[in-house]
């Protein structure tokens, strides 16, 4: 292993285990890699690959019991030049490094800040602890930090509570907290996964800027290879606790060796071509019962080319599609929420979540609704199903105005119109078995005569979403995120709907799992002839899924038209911003960013 | 904030109004004739009629209700000339009210609420309440402080030392405390510590906050009499607070922000006390306040066993002798306590959790 004065953190044959009474799981299994000063190392892998455990091992924050660092070393070169094995440090000495020399940013900015203390207070705490500053000096330093992470009105944010600021701002506060003692190494565990693509871009830019200014080492953990393309110098790919491949970012992107890496590279929907099927990890490798990996020898390019849909095919499809009569027509729909009321309950001021929106949806079409969080796309989706009542407008579904229907007629119509929600973790009741959860809507709408027939149908549906009858009596907690989302899809299918709204249905999933779920949705559409409205903040996903898309901003339609056309030729600045925020992972971009970095280094 | 408190006070007022109405209806449809109970042996018609007239029981129910409201209200309307009028401003009833203004023979006055007089001993109910309520408040407060301090501390210890011997031992005692009926526990404790072991503990099995010595008339404050009843009354909330604090603390300790706090390099104890405890307190505060109001109303058993001259003791006696004004008055006082405590809790919430703080 290389040794020079730039080395900061070395993992040497690290093994971290989770020991329970019945079994020992090696969450991290014999990994070795190095992080240097001023270097960003991207650690990539799907959930459960051991990447977060690696980070927590370095911080010595693994929940114990059951987690324990079983063997190996984590060597840290501290500010005074000593080399310390973090795994052997007693807790009270370890504490001096945490937050001071090694800082960490977590995945969920929403829950990672303590709700009962102000943002300023929480950042100050670390400064006062490690730098022994007085309250006013610490406050001044905190406000400086807030300015450095480009928070608007730093003095104002200082006294705000976490729930009063947005997700992106919270993550900036977290970064400010991590930067507060000028750590030599920053561990970022999926810092942008919970954020919109546009916010993600600003956070990534910020991290890059801070790294340059402070010559920090960054360990960046993500499930999405695309995210780190322009940020990382080195990439470590983890799979089932082991490192399957590591190398410079250019090597990994231009010539991936391991099939898993190829799968990760290919599964993010590309912007520049139209695929009718997303490649997944299983296109490149298969794992047999004993856990052995068998590779196929195809390259990423070969696979994607095979799956590309030509413009001619697409045109023919659309001719058929748009010749039909629209299944759903929205006319001047307005959903306003009152912001201020006078004492008689009359609204004085409104938040215009959806403001005068009109469009048509054709049978068999997938229409995309895209925009940043807060643009009104989710409200619109729920308004269409009348889960939220609009102020005015018409929603015409198959020649009936939904808004004029009585609740009982509407209820009957609901079985034709289903919605799949964003969070598969909270949209399934933890105390109801999968089978019951799927049979319940069928009972409500009196589909099939008895539970026996319904059970058969449910098992058929489970098979349809690539699960099986053994899952019928299980509870939601026994399944992974991707499986749960497939269960939610099966639940929507249970009522034989014709029209399905997918509200950020894949945003909470890993890119590799996301690809599988997207493929499943397309497959089902082909089989049952569904019409989808697909809501997402990620323009690349919308582009892959949809025939046409509607770009929304602050409750109004920015732009509407053919998905490919909008992506290749955006008309408004807002759309351009959404497109440029998508991590593309193109080789040219990586080369350009590497060149930029080198130039900056030479300048220093 | 001021607006918030004012709105809460308005709601509280409406609640009290409802309670007054319910109490009035309830006690007026109950069987039994207070006049008969008051005259005792003399059952001649004249005296019974006189008493009924004095109580307003010869009037229609609705008029009686108006009279009752008028008596309870701080601001009320009265007749100043006609002594036979049912709203006559009687100095014997209302003391010395401040007349705000008069219209004809009617006067609008500001006065203390008049809770009427006990059927039994003709003492004003307000006098009985002001004598006994402080005793009960002191008892309930002591019990609650005992339960909260010990309960929160033990709850934290149990959460931190989850599944250790100390956690299990506390769990067994907490379960016993929850399961034991208060009158039974009161008897046991009073027998053991106030009688069997009285030589060692120096405590008595009965006694109030103030004791009149055997010789002499001067009452003196006797705080040691508070110990046994307070502990007895506090056992059940203590058991509940331990369990609640333990589970709340365990949940908070698994939160992301606790991990963030540790990643900052804070010591385990400052994470525990500063970051975890404040978040874990919310459900506990709710239960403490709920229990406090409940304890005041439910102290009757304990007060009876320990002969503690509190309001609960008074209610038990009033119920036995069908002393309606006392029962109605104390019921209203209990409701007022509930309402006030709930407003206090809503305000405390804001301090503990800024997410519910109102602008």
């Amino acid at each position: 292993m290389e040794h020079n004065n730039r080395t900061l953190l070395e993992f040497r044959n690290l093994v971290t285990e989770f020991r329970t009474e019945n079994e020992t799981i090696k969450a991290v299994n014999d990994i070795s890699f190095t992080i240097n000063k001023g270097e960003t190392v991207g650690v990539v892998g799907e959930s459960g690959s051991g990447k977060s455990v690696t980070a927590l091992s370095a911080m010595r924050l693994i929940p114990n019991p059951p987690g324990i660092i079983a063997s190996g070393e984590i060597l840290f070169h501290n500010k005074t030049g000593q080399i310390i094995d973090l795994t052997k440090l007693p807790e009270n000495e370890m504490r001096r490094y945490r937050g001071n020399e090694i800082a960490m940013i977590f995945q969920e900015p929403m829950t990672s800040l303590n709700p009962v203390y102000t943002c300023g207070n929480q950042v100050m705490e670390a400064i006062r602890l490690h730098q022994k500053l007085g309250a006013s000096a610490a406050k001044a330093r905190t406000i400086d930090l807030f300015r450095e992470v480009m928070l608007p009105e730093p003095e104002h944010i200082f006294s705000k509570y976490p729930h009063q600021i947005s997700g992106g701002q919270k993550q900036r506060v977290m970064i400010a907290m991590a930067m507060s003692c000028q750590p030599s190494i920053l561990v970022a565990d999926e810092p942008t996964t919970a954020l919109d693509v546009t916010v993600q871009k600003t956070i990534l830019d910020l991290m890059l800027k801070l790294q340059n200014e402070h010559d920090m080492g960054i360990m960046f953990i993500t499930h999405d290879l695309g995210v780190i393309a322009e940020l990382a110098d080195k990439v470590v790919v983890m799979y089932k606790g082991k490192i399957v491949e590591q190398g410079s970012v250019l090597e990994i992107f231009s010539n991936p060796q391991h099939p898993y890496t190829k799968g990760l590279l290919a599964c993010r929907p590309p912007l520049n071509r139209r695929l009718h099927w997303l490649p997944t990890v299983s296109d490149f490798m298969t794992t047999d019962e004993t856990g052995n990996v068998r590779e196929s020898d195809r390259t990423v390019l070969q696979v994607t080319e095979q799956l590309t849909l030509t413009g001619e095919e697409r045109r023919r499809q659309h001719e058929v599609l748009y010749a039909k009569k629209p299944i759903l027509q929205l006319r001047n729909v307005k959903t306003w929420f009152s912001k201020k009321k006078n004492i008689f309950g009359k609204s004085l001021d409104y938040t215009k979540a959806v403001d005068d929106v009109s469009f048509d949806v054709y049978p068999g079409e997938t229409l995309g609704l895209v925009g940043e969080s807060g643009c009104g796309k989710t409200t619109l989706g729920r308004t269409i199903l009348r889960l939220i009542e609009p102020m005015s407008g018409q929603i015409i579904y198959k020649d009936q105005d939904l808004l004029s229907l009585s609740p009982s007629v509407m209820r009957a119509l609901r079985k034709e119109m289903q919605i799949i929600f964003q969070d598969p973790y909270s949209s399934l009741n933890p105390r109801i078995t999968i089978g019951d959860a799927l049979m319940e809507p069928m009972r409500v709408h009196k589909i099939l005569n008895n539970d026996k027939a319904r059970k058969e149908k449910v098992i058929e549906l489970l098979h349809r979403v690539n699960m099986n009858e053994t899952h019928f009596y299980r509870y939601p907690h026994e399944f992974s995120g991707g499986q749960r989302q497939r269960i939610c899809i099966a639940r929507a299918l249970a009522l034989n709907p014709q029209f399905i709204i997918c509200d950020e249905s894949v945003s909470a999933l890993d890119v590799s799992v996301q690809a599988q779920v997207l493929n499943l949705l397309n497959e089902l559409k082909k089989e049952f002839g569904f019409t989808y409205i697909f809501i997402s903040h990620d323009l690349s996903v919308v582009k892959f899924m949809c025939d046409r898309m509607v770009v929304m901003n602050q409750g109004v339609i920015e732009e509407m038209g053919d998905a490919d056309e909008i992506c290749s030729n955006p008309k408004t600045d807002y759309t351009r911003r959404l497109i440029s925020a998508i991590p593309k992972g193109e080789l040219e971009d990586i080369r350009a960013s590497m060149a930029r970095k080198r130039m900056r280094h030479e300048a220093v | 904030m001021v607006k918030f408190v004012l709105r809460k006070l308005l709601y509280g007022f409406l609640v009290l109004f409802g309670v007054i109405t319910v109490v009035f209806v309830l006690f007026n449809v109950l069987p039994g004739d207070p006049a008969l109970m008051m005259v005792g042996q003399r059952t001649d018609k004249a005296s019974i009629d006189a008493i009924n007239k004095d109580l307003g029981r010869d009037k229609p129910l609705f008029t009686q209700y108006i009279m009752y409201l008028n008596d309870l209200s701080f601001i009320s309307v009265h007749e100043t000339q006609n002594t036979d009028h049912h709203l006559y401003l009687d100095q014997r009833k209302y003391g010395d009210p401040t007349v705000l203004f008069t219209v004809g023979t009617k006067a609008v006055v500001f006065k203390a609420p008049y809770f009427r007089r006990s059927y039994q001993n003709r003492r004003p109910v307000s006098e009985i309440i002001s004598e006994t309520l402080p005793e009960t408040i002191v008892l309930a407060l002591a019990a609650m402080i005992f339960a909260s301090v010990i309960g929160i501390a033990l709850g934290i210890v149990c959460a931190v030392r989850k599944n250790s011997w100390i956690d299990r031992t506390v769990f067994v005692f907490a379960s016993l405390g929850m399961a034991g009926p208060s009158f039974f526990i009161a008897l046991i404790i009073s027998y053991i510590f106030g009688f069997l072991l009285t030589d060692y503990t120096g405590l008595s099995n009965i006694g109030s906050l103030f004791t009149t010595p055997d010789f002499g008339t001067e009452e003196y404050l006797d705080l040691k009499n508070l110990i046994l009843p307070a502990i007895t009354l506090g056992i059940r909330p203590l058991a509940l607070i331990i369990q609640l604090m333990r589970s709340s603390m365990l949940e908070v300790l698994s939160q992301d922000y606790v991990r963030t706090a540790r990643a900052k390099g804070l010591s385990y104890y400052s994470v525990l006390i500063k970051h975890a405890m404040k978040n874990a307190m919310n459900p506990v505060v709710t239960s403490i306040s709920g229990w406090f109001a409940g304890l005041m109303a439910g102290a009757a058993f304990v007060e009876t066993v320990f002969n503690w001259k509190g309001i609960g003791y008074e209610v038990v006696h009033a119920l036995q002798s069908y002393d309606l004004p006392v029962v109605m008055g104390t019921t209203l006082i209990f409701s007022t306590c509930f309402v006030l405590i709930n407003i206090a809790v809503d305000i405390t919430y804001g301090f503990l959790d800024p997410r519910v703080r109102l602008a």
Side-chain angles (χ1 to χ4, degrees), chain B residues 206-226:
Chain B
I206 52 167
S208 277
L209 197 53
F210 294 96
T211 304
T212 317
D214 297 340
F215 304 101
T217 46
E218 198 75 358
E219 277 191 337
Y220 66 93
L221 187 66
D222 199 358
L223 274 179
K224 77 173 166 32
N225 279 345
L226 185 61

Side-chain angles (χ1 to χ4, degrees), chain A residues 111-112 114 117 125 130, chain B residues 256 259-260 264 274-275 279:
Chain A
T111 56
S112 292
N114 194 332
Y117 292 106
E125 200 179 22
H130 294 294
Chain B
D256 288 348
R259 193 179 53 184
T260 309
K264 257 187 250 179
K274 188 178 169 195
H275 285 267
N279 276 290

Side-chain angles (χ1 to χ4, degrees), chain A residues 59 61 91 95 98-99 106 108 111-117 121-122 125-126 129-130 161 163 174 177, chain B residues 255-257 259-268 273-276 278-279 352-357:
Chain A
M59 292 294 285
L61 284 177
E91 173 65 24
R95 232 170 50 221
R98 270 189 216 132
F106 296 96
E108 282 287 342
T111 56
S112 292
L113 287 171
N114 194 332
V116 303
Y117 292 106
N121 187 332
Q122 295 187 52
E125 200 179 22
L129 180 75
H130 294 294
Y161 286 93
H163 69 280
M174 282 296 290
M177 191 190 290
Chain B
Q255 296 288 319
D256 288 348
Y257 52 78
R259 193 179 53 184
T260 309
R262 293 200 62 204
K264 257 187 250 179
L266 293 175
S267 74
Y268 189 62
I273 301 304
K274 188 178 169 195
H275 285 267
K278 196 172 172 191
N279 276 290
L352 279 177
D353 190 344
R355 283 169 296 184
V356 296
R357 195 172 298 170

Side-chain angles (χ1 to χ4, degrees), chain B residues 54-352:
Chain B
D54 186 48
L55 294 176
R57 289 180 68 93
D58 54 343
K59 301 275 181 322
L61 203 59
F62 186 71
T63 316
Q64 285 188 47
Y65 177 58
I66 296 295
M67 283 169 69
Y68 190 52
L69 283 183
N70 214 29
D71 281 355
L72 288 178
S73 173
F74 284 101
I75 292 166
S76 49
V77 184
H78 293 281
E79 164 69 42
T80 49
Q81 303 299 322
N82 182 1
T83 51
D84 265 354
H85 194 272
H86 62 275
L87 292 179
Y88 175 64
L89 186 61
D90 192 337
Q91 302 280 327
R92 282 173 307 159
K93 285 180 178 174
Y94 307 113
D96 193 13
T98 318
V99 177
L100 298 175
F101 58 88
T102 52
V103 181
T105 62
K106 297 270 188 292
V108 174
V109 303
F110 180 77
K111 63 164 195 343
Y114 172 60
F115 288 101
R116 306 193 169 172
R117 283 166 189 274
S118 160
Y119 290 166
Q120 292 298 308
N121 49 23
R122 303 299 294 156
R123 285 175 66 204
V125 173
S126 49
E127 200 180 298
I128 297 175
I129 289 174
S130 65
E131 225 168 68
T132 54
L133 187 65
E135 300 243 346
T136 300
I137 290 180
V138 168
L139 178 61
L141 211 58
M144 242 20 254
I145 291 171
F146 160 72
S148 325
V149 172
I150 309 271
I152 289 172
L154 279 181
I156 293 175
V157 170
C158 288
V160 174
R161 298 261 173 275
K162 192 182 147 198
N163 294 335
S164 67
W165 65 268
I166 190 164
D167 183 25
R168 283 163 215 263
T169 315
V170 169
F171 177 76
V172 168
F173 279 99
S175 305
L176 282 177
M178 288 291 279
S182 59
F183 52 86
F184 180 67
I185 291 185
L187 283 173
I188 298 282
I189 287 187
S190 125
Y191 179 68
I192 294 179
F193 296 101
F195 182 72
L196 283 186
L197 302 176
T198 187
D199 291 345
Y200 305 102
T201 56
L203 301 172
S204 164
N205 62 344
I206 52 167
S208 277
L209 197 53
F210 294 96
T211 304
T212 317
D214 297 340
F215 304 101
T217 46
E218 198 75 358
E219 277 191 337
Y220 66 93
L221 187 66
D222 199 358
L223 274 179
K224 77 173 166 32
N225 279 345
L226 185 61
I227 298 174
L228 289 182
I231 289 179
T232 313
L233 196 59
I235 278 184
R236 197 178 278 232
L238 170 69
L240 186 97
I241 289 170
I242 291 175
Q243 305 267 314
L244 211 60
M245 191 67 198
R246 179 182 181 271
S247 64
S248 169
M249 196 73 184
L250 281 177
E251 198 200 310
V252 168
L253 283 176
S254 69
Q255 296 288 319
D256 288 348
Y257 52 78
V258 168
R259 193 179 53 184
T260 309
R262 293 200 62 204
K264 257 187 250 179
L266 293 175
S267 74
Y268 189 62
Y269 288 97
S270 54
V271 171
L272 211 61
I273 301 304
K274 188 178 169 195
H275 285 267
M277 203 174 104
K278 196 172 172 191
N279 276 290
M281 285 295 282
N282 237 341
V284 180
V285 167
T286 322
S287 83
I288 288 178
S289 51
W291 271 96
F292 181 62
L295 281 190
M296 296 199 43
F301 286 128
V302 175
E303 286 182 359
T304 310
V305 170
F306 285 97
N307 217 10
W308 183 271
K309 300 280 184 315
I311 203 163
Y313 179 85
E314 202 60 49
V315 171
V316 171
H317 283 262
L319 278 171
Q320 280 166 356
S321 50
Y322 207 72
D323 200 344
L324 275 188
V326 176
V327 178
M328 286 164 88
T330 46
T331 310
L332 284 182
I333 290 296
F334 286 144
S335 326
T336 315
C337 288
F338 263 100
V339 167
L340 289 179
I341 288 169
N342 275 319
I343 292 174
V345 172
D346 284 338
I347 297 168
T348 335
Y349 267 161
F351 285 109
L352 279 177

